[in-house]
Amino acid sequence: MKPSVSFLSKELLERIVSEARDVLADVGVEVHNNDVIALLSDHGARVDTAKNRVFLPGDLIDRALSTAPRSFKLYDALGQETHDFASDQTYFTPGSAAIYVLDSDTGKMRASTTDDYVKYARIISQLPYIASQSTSMVPSDVPERISDSYRLYLSLISGCKPVVTGAFTIEAFEVMKDLQLIVRGSGDALRARPLTVFSCCPTAPLKWSDVTSQNVVDCARYSIPVEYISMPLSGFVAPVTIVGSLVQHTAETLSGVVISQLTNPGAPALYGGSPAIFDVRYETTPMGAVETMMIDCAYSEIGHYLGLPTQAYISLSDAKQLDAQAGLESSLGATLATLAGINEVSGPGMLDFESCFSLEKLVVDNEICGMMQRLGQGIVPRDDFPAVPHFQELLAEQHLLISEHTRRHLRTEHYFPGPVIDRANRSRWHEEGATTLRERASREVQRLLSEYEPYDLADEMRGELGQRMTSEAQRWDMDRLPHEEL
Amino acid sequence: MESLTALKNSVIGGDEDSAADLTQRAIDANLAPKTILDDGLIAAMTIVGEQFKNHEVFLPEVLLAARAMNAAMEKLKPLLLSQNVPTLGRVVIGSVQGDLHDIGKNLVGIMLKGAGFEIIDLGHDVTPANFVDTAESESAGVIGMSALLTTTMPAMKQVVDLVHDRDLDSRIKTIVGGAPVTAEFASEINADAYGFDAASAVDRVKELLDITQ
Ligand code: B12
């Protein structure tokens, strides 16, 4: 049995969904994109043109839900299957789009650069418990207009894992799609083997901007998976209660499902989000708040009830350093997410309200993810019954260290953390330098960087990716991209 | 002055009705409108601002106090206008072109309004020309800009440059803020000030306009 946690009774869950449907029908969503409004209106939604409000009737939502895929897969850059978003299997991906990095040498936050990104991409490709890359940082040393696409490019040339990403503008989608077409070879091949997931955010409350709604449509056209990232901020631009925030999250996310499915029935998507309570003392949106995590887990329950795979920004921290707060918030989130069966968990590596990335934190979080993989496997009997022979053996031999049963199951039953987790006895810990977590993490970062090996991306493809990215950079007056100097 | 103490307390307590009521009574008692404003309303908001910084009260209490202050201002405004008492000043605010994040900007607007400034909120995705045109036509002394995306931060420089190109530097000050914006960035683009949250926005705008309270 997989261990699980549940926050909503069936009755409460169904009430939340039905209230959200009422909200969509009676209050509607504001859409700032004429094509999307036309699409919705063509399919029977009522439109208040003066206010850009679209009212979504229940049958439209039902129709969208009936074509939305119950599961879908991701494949790495070489075409191998890496993710099967189905049932309650949990995968981890780093947090995304930080604008700062916690500098490994100085321990201070600074704007992230191409150099940081390349290091990140080399590390993530070697971390065993984080199944995909995300475009985790925004490099500040390239023109803003390519700061989204360039991340995807750097990821694709550095590591094989699929990429969770997103466009900052409508135009950027074009090049980000082209890069994927180059890797896969054709639109059909990309459709058959999705390589990325695009984050698309409705604006709280109940609004779709021009950019993000167009991103949803463009992704659906190419069957590029999206994750709808609804962000009710409880007590500010959403009701203060968890239930009220869930109603809003459900309504915003369902409106995303409708836009995708009307554009292309069957287009893959994750029922996702990045909600947060609003901390009225500091005017911040704490991702490490336990209530934030409760909203995440509960909407994932709703997503699963609706039959859709889910995603959440959970298992990240608001701390500014790799400290105990960072550890406790990240692991509390990761634990709850695993128990709630959230399918895609975005967070590892992230600090400071999704603004600052740390490579050291990433390798520590990889350990959390490893532990979560074990946690998720739960407790299952492994040749344990009948029990009597095991105890007869134990009494006869005085230990089970070399018993057949131990040798068979040791490595599946026990998870062995890497060198960042300290399990030495005190003397050995002293002897090995009495290191702190930060020191061990920083050592691990260095080790991974020195052991990095490029993956088997065909030279020809590498060249084509480079050409496409360079021509995009030239449009914005950059002739030579910074990674070429590294 | 006792009535001003009561007025102050009603604003601090966020009691809209009694703030309006006590303002009317102070007016009827022939207290100078400027005294009611300075020693009653603005003094109250300064206290609330301090309490907020010290975590004695939270944001909702600040907003309630601001609302009570606004109710009182409704009574006071006609008199202030007729006696030509200058308001604290006018501030044009908005999220810069390309940026749809407006939560922080809205908070800054609410706090500035609560502190006694007149706010002209241009919303989000505001073009540089719209910022400067409005500040010019409305005689606003300050333009406050918010950006949450690294991709939209350059639009702040465009506004600062436009103010300069139109030779308005002496009349219009600029202040910038938003999560990715830093004091260094502000000085790099020659903005006049930077604020890291809504309360500091109030302090900085007061400094820009040489308001000592
Ligand atoms: C909520 C949110 C959204 C909401 C915004 C809703 C709204 N109505 O504003 C939605 C969902 C719409 C959204 C959309 C997007 N977002 Co967003 N968003 C956030 C989030 C989580 C919180 C922002 C917030 O409201 N904070 C709470 C307020 C109160 O704080 P604040 O804005 O910082 O304001 C305070 C201070 O900065 C200051 N201040 C603010 N303005 C001003 C102005 C002046 C004059 C002064 C003095 C002070 C001041 O005072 C405020 C009060 O204390 C941030 C993460 C973060 N840590 O900031 C990401 C974040 C800013 N978003 C991000 C991204 C990438 C996006 C999208 C591009 C995602 C996408 N692919 O669709 C889109 C962009 C849309 C667009 N074109 O603008 C990135 C930015 C990365 C980058 N390169 O810059 C961030 C950092 C998250 C992340 N890591 O991915 N987002």
Side-chain angles (χ1 to χ4, degrees), chain A residues 96-99 138 166-168 199-204 209 211-212 215 229 231 233 236 274 278 282-285 350 352-355, chain B residues 98-105 107-108 144-151 175-180 194-198 201:
Chain A
S96 65
I99 53 182
V138 183
F168 298 158
S199 305
C200 299
C201 312
T203 307
S209 69
V211 177
T212 56
N215 283 164
I229 306 294
M231 304 182 191
L233 304 180
F236 192 178
S274 183
F278 191 74
Y282 290 99
E283 307 161 19
T284 49
T285 53
M350 196 60 97
D352 188 21
F353 312 96
E354 300 180 39
S355 318
Chain B
D99 214 310
L100 304 174
H101 296 86
D102 62 2
I103 291 171
K105 181 268 297 170
L107 265 184
V108 169
M145 292 166 264
S146 179
L148 265 283
L149 294 171
T150 45
T151 48
I175 174 166
V176 293
Y194 159 76
F196 61 83
D197 65 9

Side-chain angles (χ1 to χ4, degrees), chain B residues 45-105:
Chain B
M45 288 310 294
T46 309
I47 293 173
V48 174
E50 281 307 311
Q51 291 178 333
F52 177 59
K53 272 183 223 165
N54 299 333
H55 287 178
E56 289 158 36
V57 300
F58 298 157
L59 193 60
E61 285 89 349
V62 180
L63 301 189
L64 286 171
R67 196 175 71 179
M69 150 118 182
N70 289 328
M73 279 303 281
E74 289 303 311
K75 304 274 179 201
L76 211 53
K77 228 189 217 156
L79 291 168
L80 292 169
L81 283 176
S82 69
Q83 299 187 6
N84 274 329
V85 176
T87 61
L88 277 190
R90 253 184 214 173
V91 183
V92 170
I93 60 166
S95 299
V96 298
Q97 190 161 26
D99 214 310
L100 304 174
H101 296 86
D102 62 2
I103 291 171
K105 181 268 297 170

Side-chain angles (χ1 to χ4, degrees), chain A residues 216-230:
Chain A
V216 173
V217 168
D218 291 341
C219 286
R221 282 196 184 124
Y222 286 89
S223 296
I224 293 172
V226 300
E227 49 188 32
Y228 312 107
I229 306 294
S230 154

Side-chain angles (χ1 to χ4, degrees), chain A residues 99 138 142-147 168-169 211, chain B residues 94-102 124-128 131 145-160 176-181 185 189:
Chain A
I99 53 182
V138 183
V142 296
E144 285 84 19
R145 298 305 291 263
I146 60 165
S147 63
F168 298 158
T169 61
V211 177
Chain B
S95 299
V96 298
Q97 190 161 26
D99 214 310
L100 304 174
H101 296 86
D102 62 2
H124 51 69
D125 200 5
V126 180
T127 62
F131 269 116
M145 292 166 264
S146 179
L148 265 283
L149 294 171
T150 45
T151 48
T152 58
M153 283 164 63
M156 294 180 147
K157 181 168 185 324
Q158 291 175 24
V159 176
V160 175
V176 293
V181 180
F185 175 78
I189 63 165

